[in-house]
Amino acid sequence: MSTKAERTTAYIIETVAPLFNKHGYIGTSMSDLTEATGLTKGAIYGNFENKEALALSAFEYNRNILLTALDEELNAPGSALDKLSNLTEFYKKYDAFTLKMGGCPILNVGVDAQHNNKLLAAAVKETIKEIEGKIALVLENGLNNGELKLPVTPLQFAKQLFTMIQGAIAMSTITLDRKYLLNTITYLEILIKREL
Amino acid sequence: MSTKAERTTAYIIETVAPLFNKHGYIGTSMSDLTEATGLTKGAIYGNFENKEALALSAFEYNRNILLTALDEELNAPGSALDKLSNLTEFYKKYDAFTLKMGGCPILNVGVDAQHNNKLLAAAVKETIKEIEGKIALVLENGLNNGELKLPVTPLQFAKQLFTMIQGAIAMSTITLDRKYLLNTITYLEILIKREL
DNA sequence: AAAAATCTATACTGTTTGGTATATATAGGT
DNA sequence: ACCTATATATACCAAACAGTATAGATTTTT
């Protein structure tokens, strides 16, 4: 069984991750964190070196949830097209999926950290690369199987796909209108059926 | 000629607009503003009621630059397809265009203000509606001319177009890689040529 | 050019910021 | 059950926060 401190550390991360995601690095104060966790500064600083380390752990927590969910869709049994279909279905519900974490961590932290925190900004860039790689791998396998053909390289197509998805997420987030998400994904489904 | 105070007000807005756009509402402090403008708090608070009013003016300043530039492209003489071509050309250089204002104000303020400032968040939503309306109008005119046909309503197509553009902006901004912008716009040009 | 209006600088407010030293309380191992 | 190690709370720090009162400087109007 895990030690008390490990459980406290995990509890803190889980609790503050949505706060950092919603209000940004600077926008989240230590008093916000003590209030949300019910712990004191002593407890938090006993488990994390400083605010930055905590914010980074919080992002990584959200990122792992996202990557795990994506892996589940992309590694499910079935053809490459099946996996892509899993992916689009997943993103149709992405707003509900990211509700607990306070919205899309890639969009929120990516934009917030750009000029406010280099470590976080780099972590987001790395996460994007990972996701694009995962999608590209599925496409490459489908290509090698002869199951589908591509107008561009697998990575290039994956990047285009993810860009459109991220655009839908951005628009839905900013306008609070999930139609952007639904309509874009519907378009992507048609695009996949037609092009591949 | 304008009065001294009016010029000072304008000077303050021009100077602080990129700061608010880059670092967000909470991330920009009054001392950042006095430092950048070379003015004191007295001068700034003499021209603006508070930080929020200044941030709103700063966003509106950037927004007006953007809307004016878009109007120039969409109201230029020529056919509807010409105007759409102007639009895609404009967005190919969007990263350079938004450099002075510290990045895309719709993306930056839209994400930042979401949970930090309702007034700003509402202003961004309104701006998106305006831009979509402008694009939709061009499409509608082209439709009425018999110049082009659309798979969906003009507004719906405008929204899809803008979502993809905004996705490219988001990805380019977060990764600092303008290829996302270029590749997406290239794709849009093909899409317009094929679908319309 | 004088008077009235307006703009800006200075100095200050109370509050909140991230972070720390230390004392106490609690957990884990024997 | 005790002892040691560790985790948490309390009280504090200097700096930075947004905002303000007022006095002096500069425009603008007359």
Side-chain angles (χ1 to χ4, degrees):
Chain A
M1 187 203 175
S2 61
T3 157
K4 177 83 191 301
E6 286 172 332
R7 271 175 285 146
T8 306
T9 299
Y11 165 73
I12 293 173
I13 291 176
E14 288 166 30
T15 309
V16 309
L19 293 184
F20 273 115
N21 200 12
K22 272 189 273 190
H23 300 105
Y25 177 64
I26 298 179
T28 309
S29 67
M30 291 306 299
S31 60
D32 289 336
L33 307 181
T34 55
E35 196 179 327
T37 55
L39 297 172
T40 59
K41 284 206 211 179
I44 291 175
Y45 276 98
N47 287 281
F48 297 92
E49 195 194 335
N50 50 30
K51 190 186 168 184
E52 189 177 33
L54 179 48
L56 193 60
S57 294
F59 170 73
E60 279 167 356
Y61 174 77
N62 282 335
R63 181 200 84 128
N64 283 344
I65 293 178
L66 175 56
L67 288 181
T68 303
L70 284 173
D71 274 333
E72 221 167 281
E73 306 298 342
L74 296 178
N75 296 335
S79 66
L81 282 172
D82 286 339
K83 289 170 184 182
L84 288 177
S85 171
N86 291 344
L87 188 72
T88 53
E89 281 304 315
F90 171 75
Y91 273 111
K92 269 187 195 167
K93 303 170 207 146
Y94 189 70
D95 55 336
F97 176 78
T98 54
L99 202 66
K100 283 160 290 181
M101 40 177 116
C104 174
I106 293 175
L107 178 70
N108 291 3
V109 181
V111 172
D112 171 69
Q114 194 66 46
H115 299 93
N116 291 328
N117 192 296
K118 298 191 175 189
L119 254 116
L120 282 171
V124 175
K125 274 176 80 166
E126 187 56 38
T127 305
I128 289 175
K129 245 188 187 166
E130 278 188 64
I131 295 177
E132 288 174 345
K134 286 174 191 296
I135 299 174
L137 197 67
V138 170
L139 292 170
E140 201 168 351
N141 287 338
L143 199 64
N144 291 339
N145 285 349
E147 184 193 338
L148 47 85
K149 56 184 180 328
L150 286 172
V152 289
T153 66
L155 184 59
Q156 185 52 46
F157 197 87
K159 277 170 181 279
Q160 281 293 351
L161 221 61
F162 191 61
T163 299
M164 292 192 203
I165 292 171
Q166 209 57 42
I169 294 168
M171 293 298 292
S172 286
T173 301
I174 295 172
T175 64
L176 299 175
D177 181 358
R178 72 189 302 268
K179 282 196 217 81
Y180 286 96
L181 198 58
L182 293 178
N183 289 339
T184 297
I185 302 297
T186 301
Y187 174 80
L188 284 182
E189 289 173 336
I190 296 169
L191 182 125
I192 289 170
K193 209 170 269 178
R194 194 209 306 141
E195 301 259 348
L196 306 192
Chain B
M1 187 204 175
S2 61
T3 159
K4 177 85 192 299
E6 285 172 332
R7 271 175 284 145
T8 305
T9 300
Y11 165 73
I12 293 173
I13 292 176
E14 288 167 28
T15 309
V16 309
L19 294 183
F20 272 116
N21 200 12
K22 273 189 272 191
H23 300 104
Y25 178 64
I26 297 179
T28 308
S29 68
M30 289 308 298
S31 60
D32 290 336
L33 307 182
T34 55
E35 196 179 326
T37 55
L39 297 170
T40 58
K41 284 205 206 181
I44 292 174
Y45 276 100
N47 287 280
F48 297 92
E49 196 194 335
N50 50 31
K51 190 186 169 183
E52 188 177 34
L54 180 48
L56 194 59
S57 294
F59 170 73
E60 280 168 357
Y61 174 77
N62 282 336
R63 180 201 86 127
N64 283 343
I65 294 178
L66 175 57
L67 288 181
T68 302
L70 283 173
D71 274 333
E72 220 167 282
E73 307 298 341
L74 296 178
N75 294 336
S79 67
L81 282 173
D82 286 339
K83 290 171 184 181
L84 288 178
S85 172
N86 292 344
L87 188 72
T88 53
E89 281 305 315
F90 171 75
Y91 273 111
K92 269 187 195 167
K93 304 169 206 147
Y94 190 69
D95 54 338
F97 177 78
T98 54
L99 202 66
K100 283 161 292 182
M101 42 176 116
C104 175
I106 293 174
L107 178 70
N108 290 4
V109 181
V111 171
D112 171 68
Q114 194 65 46
H115 299 93
N116 290 328
N117 191 297
K118 297 192 176 189
L119 254 116
L120 282 171
V124 176
K125 274 176 80 166
E126 186 56 37
T127 304
I128 289 174
K129 246 188 186 167
E130 278 187 62
I131 296 177
E132 290 173 344
K134 286 175 193 295
I135 299 174
L137 198 65
V138 170
L139 292 170
E140 201 167 351
N141 287 336
L143 199 65
N144 291 339
N145 286 347
E147 184 193 338
L148 48 83
K149 55 185 178 337
L150 286 172
V152 291
T153 66
L155 185 59
Q156 186 52 47
F157 197 87
K159 277 170 181 278
Q160 282 292 351
L161 221 60
F162 192 61
T163 299
M164 293 191 203
I165 291 171
Q166 210 57 43
I169 294 168
M171 293 300 290
S172 287
T173 300
I174 295 172
T175 65
L176 299 176
D177 182 357
R178 71 189 304 267
K179 282 198 218 80
Y180 285 97
L181 198 58
L182 293 178
N183 290 338
T184 298
I185 302 298
T186 301
Y187 174 81
L188 284 182
E189 289 172 337
I190 297 169
L191 182 123
I192 289 171
K193 209 171 267 179
R194 192 210 305 142
E195 299 261 349
L196 305 192

